[in-house]
Amino acid sequence: MEVINALGRRKSAVARVYVSTGNGNITINGREMENYFKEDTLRYIVRQALDITGTLAQFDIKANIDGGGIKGQAEALRLAIARALCKVDTEAYRPVLKSNGFLTRDSREVERKKPGQPGARRRFQFSKR
């Protein structure tokens, strides 16, 4: 199998993933996943697409992640892995990934701050007199 690449985004994080046959090694920005994502919940999020398809020990994954926070990066990586698995074998993996919602891009972004007020929606306190 040749190397398959895919792209995942969440908030302002972008994850580029390169999937090849192997034994389940996940490398992120040149570091092991355990060193990059310190929390167990974030590692669980990254592995979700592989767990649900039962391919955790079949593929080696090399990822480049840029931008955003640590949670957004983990969710962007999950989307990229799910998209790459669909490219590997569409008939086998797509229905399972789609029914669990791993192929849907979460399009929510941070709303920008407006001029003349302290936040995006927050206004300064109103004083009648």
Side-chain angles (χ1 to χ4, degrees):
M1 176 184 125
E2 72 282 355
V3 176
I4 293 175
N5 64 331
L7 185 76
R9 291 190 180 101
R10 172 72 171 100
K11 292 186 176 181
S12 60
V14 180
R16 291 171 195 83
V17 168
Y18 303 94
V19 176
S20 60
T21 54
N23 53 8
N25 295 328
I26 300 176
T27 308
I28 303 164
N29 292 348
R31 292 159 53 187
E32 290 295 319
M33 182 174 65
E34 287 73 23
N35 295 332
Y36 194 84
F37 293 118
K38 301 288 186 189
E39 292 183 31
D40 290 334
T41 54
L42 297 175
R43 290 194 290 255
Y44 172 75
I45 287 171
V46 170
R47 285 196 206 107
Q48 272 184 317
L50 296 168
D51 284 336
I52 211 96
T53 55
T55 57
L56 193 57
Q58 292 180 12
F59 299 110
D60 282 343
I61 297 171
K62 182 178 176 292
N64 294 322
I65 305 178
D66 187 36
I70 199 80
K71 176 100 192 272
Q73 287 183 351
E75 292 178 358
L77 186 55
R78 178 179 64 188
L79 176 62
I81 290 171
R83 286 179 173 174
L85 288 175
C86 278
K87 287 182 181 179
V88 170
D89 190 358
T90 306
E91 293 85 28
Y93 303 138
R94 185 171 173 79
V96 177
L97 292 169
K98 192 162 178 65
S99 65
N100 286 290
F102 295 144
L103 294 177
T104 304
R105 197 257 202 235
D106 193 349
S107 61
R108 294 177 293 174
E109 296 278 340
V110 176
E111 189 174 338
R112 78 176 193 87
K113 181 192 170 301
K114 312 301 186 305
Q117 55 192 66
R121 303 270 175 109
R122 177 93 172 99
R123 304 286 196 261
F124 289 114
Q125 184 175 358
F126 175 74
S127 174
K128 197 168 202 173
R129 286 175 197 48

